[in-house]
Amino acid sequence: MGAGHAHKLYREGHSPVHALPPHCKLAATLAFVVVVVSTPREAVWAFGLYAVLIAAVAAVARIPAGFLLGRLLIEVPFVAFAVLMPFVAEGERVEVLGMSLSVSGLWGAWNVLAKGTLGVAASVLLASTTELRALLLGLQRLKLPPLLVQIASFMIRYGDVISDELRRMSIARRSRGFEARGIRHWGVLAKTAGALFIRSYERGERVYLAMVSRGYAGSMPVIDEVAATRAQWAYASTLPVTALAVCLMGWTL
């Protein structure tokens, strides 16, 4: 799968969560998110318990609360959408602090905020304790279509290369006195985007030909075979199994 590639979300550590095989963590995270989404929105207490479970995993993984909360800012657009729901939704209205809000909108906003925040928190924990290369190996181990894994691998590997190319083009424009100040400069920016696309396409062709010349036949060789023991699967399943028990209680109460 190639050499490792560090990312900003990853936090190096030697905790039991870091040591788990990546496919175990991927499966556990997906199962946890499915359970959270399946929980009835009226079971408010259940979401509180889910938050406690996330906090417990973060503590075991030695992920600081500030680090986790800072990465949750990615869901701000969804928060903005949720805040608008009580104002625009129809149906029964209720007065809150002098404002007329929709009851169904309030429940909808709570549903989006609670489930979205927990899902993002679980994903951040996964990314914080698993390197990108390990995640790709985990996806491959879980039998994700090889083509999708390869696309993700090249996207990760060459994303920074394309960003650096765009940065150099921007520096070249500014060194020649160009500053985009309005719509009349959009043409220049469009040409820049076109040039970047052509360069990226040509780079992709060169990389592909280089791979073919080295024996590439549609699949990447697996250098590190990642396996998991029953104990590791049992340890990883603690989070989704506990969440499932909470979810079942939420449906029965």
Coordinates of all heavy atoms in Angstrom, one line a residue, residues 132-169:
L132 N -3.3 6.9 8.4 CA -4.0 6.8 7.1 C -3.7 5.5 6.4 O -4.5 4.8 5.8 CB -3.6 8.0 6.2 CG -4.4 9.2 6.5 CD1 -3.9 10.3 5.6 CD2 -5.9 9.0 6.2
R133 N -2.4 5.1 6.4 CA -2.0 3.9 5.7 C -2.7 2.7 6.3 O -3.1 1.7 5.7 CB -0.5 3.7 5.7 CG 0.1 2.5 5.1 CD 1.6 2.5 5.0 NE 2.1 1.3 4.5 CZ 2.4 0.2 5.3 NH1 2.3 0.3 6.6 NH2 2.9 -0.9 4.7
A134 N -2.7 2.7 7.7 CA -3.4 1.6 8.4 C -4.9 1.5 8.1 O -5.5 0.5 7.9 CB -3.2 1.7 9.9
L135 N -5.5 2.7 7.9 CA -6.9 2.7 7.6 C -7.2 2.1 6.2 O -8.1 1.3 6.0 CB -7.4 4.2 7.5 CG -7.7 4.8 8.9 CD1 -8.1 6.3 8.7 CD2 -8.9 4.1 9.6
L136 N -6.3 2.4 5.2 CA -6.4 1.8 3.9 C -6.2 0.3 4.0 O -7.0 -0.5 3.3 CB -5.4 2.4 3.0 CG -5.6 3.9 2.7 CD1 -4.4 4.4 1.8 CD2 -6.9 4.1 1.9
L137 N -5.3 -0.2 4.8 CA -5.1 -1.6 5.0 C -6.3 -2.2 5.6 O -6.7 -3.4 5.3 CB -3.8 -1.9 5.8 CG -2.5 -1.6 5.2 CD1 -1.4 -1.7 6.2 CD2 -2.2 -2.5 4.0
G138 N -6.9 -1.5 6.6 CA -8.1 -2.0 7.2 C -9.3 -2.1 6.2 O -10.0 -3.1 6.2
L139 N -9.4 -1.1 5.4 CA -10.5 -1.2 4.3 C -10.3 -2.4 3.4 O -11.2 -3.0 3.0 CB -10.5 0.1 3.6 CG -11.0 1.4 4.3 CD1 -10.8 2.6 3.5 CD2 -12.5 1.2 4.7
Q140 N -9.0 -2.6 3.0 CA -8.7 -3.7 2.2 C -9.0 -5.0 2.9 O -9.5 -6.0 2.3 CB -7.2 -3.6 1.8 CG -6.8 -4.5 0.6 CD -5.4 -4.2 0.1 OE1 -4.5 -4.0 0.9 NE2 -5.2 -4.2 -1.2
R141 N -8.7 -5.1 4.2 CA -9.0 -6.3 4.9 C -10.4 -6.6 5.1 O -10.9 -7.7 5.1 CB -8.3 -6.1 6.3 CG -8.5 -7.4 7.2 CD -7.5 -8.5 6.8 NE -7.6 -9.6 7.7 CZ -6.9 -10.7 7.5 NH1 -6.0 -10.8 6.6 NH2 -7.0 -11.7 8.4
L142 N -11.3 -5.5 5.1 CA -12.7 -5.7 5.2 C -13.4 -5.9 3.8 O -14.6 -5.9 3.7 CB -13.3 -4.4 5.8 CG -13.0 -4.2 7.3 CD1 -13.5 -2.9 7.8 CD2 -13.5 -5.4 8.2
K143 N -12.5 -6.2 2.8 CA -13.0 -6.5 1.5 C -13.7 -5.4 0.7 O -14.6 -5.7 -0.1 CB -13.9 -7.8 1.5 CG -13.3 -9.0 2.2 CD -12.0 -9.4 1.6 CE -11.3 -10.6 2.2 NZ -10.0 -11.0 1.7
L144 N -13.3 -4.2 1.0 CA -13.9 -3.1 0.2 C -13.3 -3.2 -1.2 O -12.2 -3.7 -1.4 CB -13.4 -1.7 0.8 CG -14.1 -0.5 0.3 CD1 -15.5 -0.4 1.0 CD2 -13.3 0.8 0.6
P145 N -14.1 -2.9 -2.2 CA -13.6 -3.0 -3.6 C -12.2 -2.5 -3.8 O -12.0 -1.3 -3.4 CB -14.7 -2.2 -4.4 CG -15.9 -2.4 -3.6 CD -15.5 -2.3 -2.2
P146 N -11.3 -3.3 -4.3 CA -9.9 -2.8 -4.4 C -9.7 -1.5 -5.2 O -8.9 -0.7 -4.8 CB -9.2 -4.0 -5.2 CG -10.1 -5.2 -4.9 CD -11.5 -4.6 -4.8
L147 N -10.6 -1.3 -6.2 CA -10.5 0.0 -7.0 C -10.7 1.2 -6.1 O -10.0 2.2 -6.2 CB -11.4 -0.1 -8.1 CG -11.4 1.2 -9.1 CD1 -10.0 1.3 -9.7 CD2 -12.4 1.0 -10.2
L148 N -11.7 1.1 -5.2 CA -12.0 2.2 -4.3 C -10.8 2.4 -3.3 O -10.5 3.6 -3.0 CB -13.3 1.9 -3.5 CG -14.6 1.9 -4.3 CD1 -15.8 1.6 -3.4 CD2 -14.8 3.2 -5.0
V149 N -10.2 1.4 -2.8 CA -9.1 1.5 -1.9 C -7.9 2.2 -2.6 O -7.2 3.0 -2.1 CB -8.7 0.1 -1.4 CG1 -7.4 0.3 -0.5 CG2 -9.8 -0.5 -0.6
Q150 N -7.7 1.8 -3.9 CA -6.6 2.4 -4.7 C -6.8 3.8 -4.9 O -5.9 4.7 -4.8 CB -6.4 1.6 -6.0 CG -5.9 0.2 -5.8 CD -5.8 -0.5 -7.2 OE1 -5.3 0.0 -8.1 NE2 -6.3 -1.8 -7.2
I151 N -8.1 4.2 -5.3 CA -8.4 5.6 -5.5 C -8.2 6.4 -4.2 O -7.6 7.5 -4.3 CB -9.9 5.7 -6.0 CG1 -10.0 5.2 -7.4 CG2 -10.3 7.2 -5.9 CD1 -11.5 5.1 -7.8
A152 N -8.6 5.9 -3.1 CA -8.4 6.6 -1.8 C -6.9 6.7 -1.5 O -6.4 7.8 -1.0 CB -9.1 5.8 -0.7
S153 N -6.1 5.7 -1.8 CA -4.7 5.7 -1.6 C -4.0 6.8 -2.4 O -3.2 7.5 -1.9 CB -4.1 4.3 -1.9 OG -2.7 4.3 -1.8
F154 N -4.3 6.9 -3.7 CA -3.7 7.9 -4.5 C -4.2 9.3 -4.2 O -3.4 10.2 -4.3 CB -4.0 7.6 -6.0 CG -3.1 6.4 -6.5 CD1 -3.7 5.2 -6.9 CD2 -1.8 6.6 -6.7 CE1 -3.0 4.2 -7.4 CE2 -1.0 5.5 -7.2 CZ -1.6 4.3 -7.5
M155 N -5.4 9.4 -3.8 CA -6.0 10.7 -3.4 C -5.2 11.2 -2.2 O -4.8 12.4 -2.1 CB -7.5 10.6 -3.0 CG -8.1 11.9 -2.6 SD -9.8 11.7 -2.1 CE -9.6 10.8 -0.6
I156 N -4.9 10.3 -1.2 CA -4.2 10.7 0.0 C -2.7 11.1 -0.4 O -2.2 12.1 0.1 CB -4.2 9.6 1.0 CG1 -5.7 9.5 1.6 CG2 -3.3 9.9 2.2 CD1 -5.9 8.2 2.4
R157 N -2.1 10.2 -1.2 CA -0.7 10.4 -1.6 C -0.5 11.7 -2.4 O 0.5 12.4 -2.1 CB -0.3 9.2 -2.3 CG 1.2 9.2 -2.7 CD 1.6 8.0 -3.4 NE 1.5 6.8 -2.6 CZ 2.4 6.4 -1.7 NH1 3.5 7.1 -1.6 NH2 2.2 5.3 -1.0
Y158 N -1.4 11.9 -3.3 CA -1.1 13.0 -4.2 C -1.9 14.3 -3.9 O -1.8 15.3 -4.7 CB -1.4 12.6 -5.7 CG -0.3 11.6 -6.2 CD1 -0.5 10.2 -6.2 CD2 1.0 12.1 -6.6 CE1 0.4 9.3 -6.6 CE2 1.9 11.2 -7.0 CZ 1.7 9.8 -7.0 OH 2.6 8.9 -7.4
G159 N -2.7 14.3 -2.9 CA -3.5 15.5 -2.5 C -2.5 16.6 -2.2 O -2.7 17.8 -2.6
D160 N -1.5 16.3 -1.4 CA -0.6 17.4 -1.0 C 0.3 17.8 -2.2 O 0.7 19.0 -2.3 CB 0.4 16.8 0.1 CG -0.4 16.6 1.4 OD1 -1.4 17.3 1.6 OD2 0.1 15.9 2.3
V161 N 0.6 16.9 -3.1 CA 1.3 17.2 -4.3 C 0.6 18.3 -5.2 O 1.1 19.3 -5.6 CB 1.7 16.0 -5.1 CG1 2.4 16.4 -6.4 CG2 2.5 15.0 -4.3
I162 N -0.7 18.0 -5.3 CA -1.6 18.9 -6.1 C -1.7 20.3 -5.4 O -1.7 21.3 -6.0 CB -2.9 18.3 -6.4 CG1 -2.8 17.0 -7.1 CG2 -3.8 19.3 -7.2 CD1 -2.0 17.1 -8.5
S163 N -1.8 20.2 -4.1 CA -1.9 21.5 -3.3 C -0.6 22.3 -3.5 O -0.7 23.5 -3.6 CB -2.2 21.2 -1.8 OG -3.4 20.5 -1.7
D164 N 0.5 21.6 -3.4 CA 1.8 22.4 -3.6 C 1.9 22.9 -5.0 O 2.4 24.0 -5.2 CB 2.9 21.4 -3.3 CG 3.1 21.1 -1.9 OD1 2.6 21.8 -1.0 OD2 3.7 20.0 -1.6
E165 N 1.4 22.2 -6.0 CA 1.4 22.7 -7.4 C 0.5 24.0 -7.5 O 0.9 25.0 -8.1 CB 0.8 21.6 -8.3 CG 1.0 22.0 -9.8 CD 2.4 21.8 -10.3 OE1 3.1 21.0 -9.7 OE2 2.7 22.4 -11.3
L166 N -0.6 24.0 -6.9 CA -1.5 25.1 -6.9 C -0.9 26.3 -6.1 O -1.0 27.5 -6.6 CB -2.8 24.8 -6.2 CG -3.9 25.9 -6.2 CD1 -4.3 26.3 -7.6 CD2 -5.2 25.4 -5.5
R167 N -0.2 26.0 -5.0 CA 0.5 27.1 -4.3 C 1.6 27.7 -5.1 O 1.8 28.9 -5.2 CB 1.1 26.5 -3.0 CG 1.8 27.5 -2.1 CD 2.4 26.9 -0.9 NE 3.2 25.8 -1.2 CZ 4.5 25.9 -1.5 NH1 5.1 27.1 -1.6 NH2 5.2 24.8 -1.7
R168 N 2.4 26.9 -5.9 CA 3.5 27.5 -6.7 C 2.9 28.3 -7.8 O 3.4 29.3 -8.2 CB 4.3 26.3 -7.3 CG 5.2 25.6 -6.3 CD 6.2 24.7 -6.9 NE 5.6 23.6 -7.6 CZ 5.3 22.4 -7.0 NH1 5.7 22.2 -5.8 NH2 4.8 21.5 -7.7
M169 N 1.7 27.9 -8.4 CA 1.1 28.7 -9.5 C 0.6 30.0 -8.9 O 0.7 31.0 -9.6 CB -0.1 27.9 -10.1 CG 0.4 26.6 -10.8 SD -1.0 25.6 -11.3 CE -1.7 26.6 -12.6

